[in-house]
Amino acid sequence: MKVLWLSPNLNHYKARFLNYLSESPEIDLSVLSGIGRKGQGDKYIDLTIKYHLKTVNVTKAKFGFSGIVRKELKECFEDFEWIMIPREKKNFFLILYAFWLRAKSGWKGKKVKLISYNHPMLISGPGRITWIDEFLTWFYYRFYDRIIFYTEKSHEKMVRAGVINKKKAYWANNTIDTNSVSKHYKFSYPNPKRPTILFIGRLIPEKKLEVLFDYYFELKEQFRKKGKSLTLIIIGDGPQQDLVKNAMNKDSSIEWTGSLVNESEISPYMQRASLVFIPGHSGLSINHALCYGRPYFTLDYIGHPPEIDYLKNGYNGFVMDKNKIENIKIIRSFLLNLGENIYDNAFKTGQKLSTENWCMKIKEALIDG
C-alpha cells in the first residue's frame, strides 16, 4: 500500500514515528515535508530516514498556501492509495485542491483516498470554538475519506455527537518514541530525599512559565523553612528562554539543559524527577512523563490538547483546578510524601501508549475497508 504523508513540520517526534510505520511490510511510505517553524524551540535530529522523503523550502505557516506544495502534490497524487493531509484551517486551500485532484483522478478510474490525523475540533484559540470552526470541522469530516483521532476519547466524543460518520472514524493514541525510552531507562522510583520538579517542552507563552516559577519560588521557600531542599529542572528551548535565565539568576537551584531530543540525554533527568509540572498547554509532555513512570501535574486549562485525556486525578497525576494556595498545598504534600502507587500507575498508563500500539492503530485505519 502506497501512502503519502504531508508534514509541514517534520519534528523529531514525527520523524521517528514515521520511521517505525515505514518498517511495516504492508506500507510503502513517502513523506512530503516543509521546513517547520522558525525560532519556536523545535529541535530536529540527525536520523537515518527509512521512508522516501522530499523536503520543500516552505515553512509550516505557509505550507497550506504554497504553490510549490500544490505542484509537488499534483505531480505524484495518482501514485498513492492514501494521502495524509493535516486537517487544519491554514491548510484549507491545499485540502480543497486535494479534493479536486481526488475527483479528477476518480474520473480516470484511479482510487486515491484522503486521510487526516488530528485533534477532534478546529479551534480559534485556547479552547475557543467559533461557528466557523464548527462548520469547517463538519466540512472536512464530510469530505475526507478517513479521520484518525489523537485519543480514543476524542474519537468517541465526535462519533457520539454525530460530527463524523462512525465508519470514517478511527483513533491512535498520540505518543512519543517509547522504544527509545525502554532502551535507555528502566523504571525506578525517584530519591525521596531529593525532591525535584521537572519541566519538559518548548519555552513558549502557552506553557505558562511565569506560573511555573511563581509556584516554584513559593514551594522553595516553604521547603527552606522545613530545612529541606528543592530543585527545578527545565528541559527545552524557545522564545521565552529569557524567563528561564532570569529565574536562574535569582535561584541557583534551577537547572536548564536547553533542548534535548534523545532519550539517552533525557532519561537521567527523568529518573531524578519526583514529578513533571507544566502549568499550561500540556500535550506530548504528558506522554513523556507517564512513559517514565512520573506523575504529571498541570492546571485546569481550557486549551489543553487531547492528551489530557490520559490523566486521572490522584491516579497518575493531577489536573489542579483550585486557587494558587490550594494547588501549592497539593504539590507540597505530594513532594513530602511520595507514594509509590502513583508512580506505578503512571508507568502502567505509559506502557499503553507505546510506539507499537500507535503503528498498529494507524495501519488499522489505512488497511480496514
Side-chain angles (χ1 to χ4, degrees):
M1 175 182 299
K2 297 192 71 176
V3 179
L4 174 64
W5 194 294
L6 271 64
S7 180
N9 181 37
L10 189 61
N11 58 28
H12 67 281
Y13 286 120
K14 203 174 299 177
R16 284 169 167 155
F17 272 101
L18 293 178
N19 252 2
Y20 289 125
L21 186 62
S22 70
E23 292 174 351
S24 304
E26 309 97 323
I27 294 177
D28 181 5
L29 181 65
S30 297
V31 176
L32 177 61
S33 169
I35 58 174
R37 299 175 286 207
K38 297 296 184 181
Q40 292 298 307
D42 290 308
K43 184 85 178 272
Y44 301 90
I45 57 175
D46 184 14
L47 182 70
T48 301
I49 298 298
K50 299 179 182 178
Y51 42 84
H52 313 289
L53 174 64
K54 182 163 188 177
T55 302
V56 292
N57 189 29
V58 180
T59 63
K60 180 179 179 180
K62 296 180 179 178
F63 194 87
F65 304 95
S66 171
I68 296 173
V69 175
R70 291 195 298 274
K71 180 176 181 292
E72 292 288 343
L73 183 61
K74 180 181 179 181
E75 289 179 354
C76 68
F77 191 87
E78 294 179 2
D79 296 336
F80 297 93
E81 296 170 64
W82 284 100
I83 297 179
M84 202 295 294
I85 304 179
R87 175 237 61 184
E88 297 182 15
K89 280 188 285 189
K90 56 179 167 281
N91 290 338
F92 179 73
F93 294 109
L94 178 60
I95 292 168
L96 285 184
Y97 187 65
F99 288 163
W100 179 76
L101 290 175
R102 180 181 59 184
K104 186 179 177 183
S105 66
W107 299 335
K108 301 178 185 178
K110 303 273 187 178
K111 193 172 183 180
V112 182
K113 291 182 272 190
L114 299 175
I115 190 168
S116 178
Y117 179 45
N118 51 249
H119 296 175
M121 293 289 295
L122 292 168
I123 61 174
S124 293
R128 180 170 168 259
I129 300 174
T130 67
W131 70 267
I132 294 176
D133 296 320
E134 292 179 346
F135 172 76
L136 285 178
T137 299
W138 172 87
F139 176 78
Y140 286 150
Y141 292 172
R142 171 68 176 79
F143 289 100
Y144 266 93
D145 296 285
R146 197 150 292 175
I147 297 291
I148 309 174
F149 294 99
Y150 279 170
T151 68
E152 184 177 9
K153 189 173 179 180
S154 296
H155 164 270
E156 292 174 352
K157 181 180 178 181
M158 292 295 98
V159 170
R160 189 166 55 247
V163 179
I164 187 170
N165 187 319
K166 185 177 181 179
K167 293 181 180 179
K168 287 186 176 184
Y170 289 75
W171 61 273
N173 283 326
N174 198 23
T175 190
I176 64 166
D177 185 355
T178 58
N179 289 345
S180 186
V181 172
S182 299
K183 181 179 178 181
H184 298 287
Y185 173 77
K186 184 177 180 181
F187 173 63
S188 62
Y189 303 116
N191 186 341
K193 296 180 180 180
R194 295 183 179 177
T196 301
I197 297 171
L198 184 141
F199 172 102
I200 183 168
R202 292 187 296 130
L203 307 181
I204 55 177
E206 292 89 340
K207 301 293 184 180
K208 298 188 177 181
L209 285 162
E210 298 96 332
V211 177
L212 172 70
F213 294 127
D214 185 29
Y215 275 45
Y216 178 68
F217 291 139
E218 178 63 33
L219 284 162
K220 183 76 183 294
E221 178 61 18
Q222 293 182 17
F223 270 62
R224 185 191 65 79
K225 290 178 179 178
K226 290 179 175 290
K228 297 179 180 294
S229 63
L230 184 63
T231 301
L232 172 63
I233 298 171
I234 296 176
I235 299 175
D237 203 351
Q240 289 197 316
Q241 60 175 254
D242 284 346
L243 290 178
V244 179
K245 293 176 181 177
N246 291 338
M248 291 176 70
N249 288 334
K250 294 179 183 178
D251 193 320
S252 60
S253 68
I254 299 174
E255 301 177 30
W256 179 36
T257 69
S259 182
L260 302 178
V261 296
N262 295 315
E263 300 302 333
S264 59
E265 298 173 300
I266 295 171
S267 59
Y269 295 104
M270 280 289 192
Q271 191 163 17
R272 289 171 54 192
S274 307
L275 60 87
V276 174
F277 179 35
I278 298 182
H281 186 278
S282 295
L284 284 175
S285 55
I286 295 175
N287 300 67
H288 228 139
L290 298 178
C291 288
Y292 277 95
R294 293 301 180 257
Y296 190 95
F297 285 61
T298 188
L299 304 184
D300 192 17
Y301 171 62
I302 197 169
H304 282 312
E307 288 84 359
I308 200 71
D309 294 343
Y310 305 148
L311 290 185
K312 296 179 182 179
N313 264 328
Y315 177 78
N316 56 15
F318 288 86
V319 181
M320 300 175 291
D321 59 358
K322 303 182 186 300
N323 58 45
K324 173 186 170 182
I325 294 174
E326 292 300 314
N327 291 339
I328 286 178
K329 283 182 181 178
I330 292 171
I331 299 173
R332 183 187 65 205
S333 176
F334 181 83
L335 289 171
L336 292 174
N337 304 281
L338 302 182
E340 293 184 355
N341 282 348
I342 197 168
Y343 291 100
D344 294 333
N345 295 337
F347 190 66
K348 286 176 185 176
T349 305
Q351 295 304 290
K352 297 176 183 177
L353 305 174
S354 69
T355 304
E356 289 78 12
N357 285 344
W358 183 87
C359 288
M360 179 186 69
K361 297 298 288 186
I362 293 291
K363 287 190 291 183
E364 178 183 305
L366 291 169
I367 295 170
D368 192 18

